[in-house]
Amino acid sequence: MDVEPPLGLREAKKQETRQLISDHATRLFQRQGFEATTITEIATAARVAKKTVTNYFARKEDLALDHHEEFTASLARAVDARKPGESALAAVRRAFDTALRERDPVAGFAGPAFARMVADSPTLTARLRELHEQREHALAEALAAATGAPADDVLPRAAAAQLASALRLLFVRIQERTLAGATDTEIATTFGAEAERVFDQLEPALGRYAVR
């Protein structure tokens, strides 16, 4: 009689399988192109059933953009984690500085092959645009909660639009520099000043907004 592994082991195995599938999918996408690669090919490469792939990834795009949940929640989490006396802008700025130092994929660090894969795929480009919009929506909800604003208040949405647009611009700039041949280390060590200028431009409007 087979004995089921403890919950912790089962979850670890699931994460291992999920990562294995995603890794094989990314390699195929980079070699063949996203649109040209099939779920069947991914399942074969990962040595799992096709249904296993679709169980772990509801959308083909999520096989490539597998940090999507972390990405869409990132700005809202930064606001939720702001320190006493810290504004939403300051918290987001601090989170971006950390992401820059750590070469975080959520900030746009993905390497040239991955950046080219996304840029060459209309489907992935559209999905990434959708994820940026979802991130802005999550941020607006976090700002409304942080300020106690009523559901129909436009200010949290306006603030979220400004912050999310700034982070989207920085994400795109990192991708552009990656495609131009700069390494992650080169970008991380030279991009700080440019990011500072972007955040400084928001300071007059949002410097005291949603202070904890």
Side-chain angles (χ1 to χ4, degrees), residues 30-184:
Q30 290 176 353
R31 186 166 68 239
Q32 302 176 178
F34 178 83
E35 274 75 14
T37 302
T38 68
I39 298 296
T40 299
E41 288 175 317
I42 294 167
T44 300
R47 297 184 178 180
V48 299
K50 182 178 178 181
K51 185 174 177 56
T52 301
V53 176
T54 56
N55 281 343
Y56 279 95
F57 298 92
R59 299 175 61 158
K60 183 181 172 185
E61 298 95 305
D62 294 341
L63 282 156
L65 304 172
D66 59 336
H67 294 283
H68 63 280
E69 292 178 350
E70 181 184 352
F71 179 85
T72 55
S74 58
L75 299 184
R77 286 175 178 167
V79 168
D80 291 342
R82 67 197 188 285
K83 299 175 180 178
E86 192 173 47
S87 67
L89 171 59
V92 168
R93 190 171 191 162
R94 178 166 54 82
F96 181 80
D97 287 344
T98 299
L100 194 63
R101 288 196 308 272
E102 296 178 353
R103 283 75 156 163
D104 193 332
V106 169
F109 292 95
F114 193 92
R116 175 53 59 195
M117 175 190 74
V118 174
D120 287 346
S121 169
T123 304
L124 290 179
T125 300
R127 176 57 173 157
L128 187 56
R129 187 181 307 117
E130 184 180 283
L131 292 175
H132 278 289
E133 292 170 356
Q134 290 176 6
R135 183 165 72 159
E136 179 181 328
H137 180 73
L139 175 59
E141 290 186 338
L143 290 173
T147 59
D152 61 347
D153 193 338
V154 73
L155 287 183
R157 293 170 61 184
Q162 293 176 74
L163 285 167
S165 292
L167 270 294
R168 181 173 182 169
L169 170 63
L170 295 174
F171 183 99
V172 169
R173 291 286 288 164
I174 290 173
Q175 293 280 286
E176 288 173 347
R177 292 191 179 187
T178 299
L179 289 172
T183 66
D184 286 353

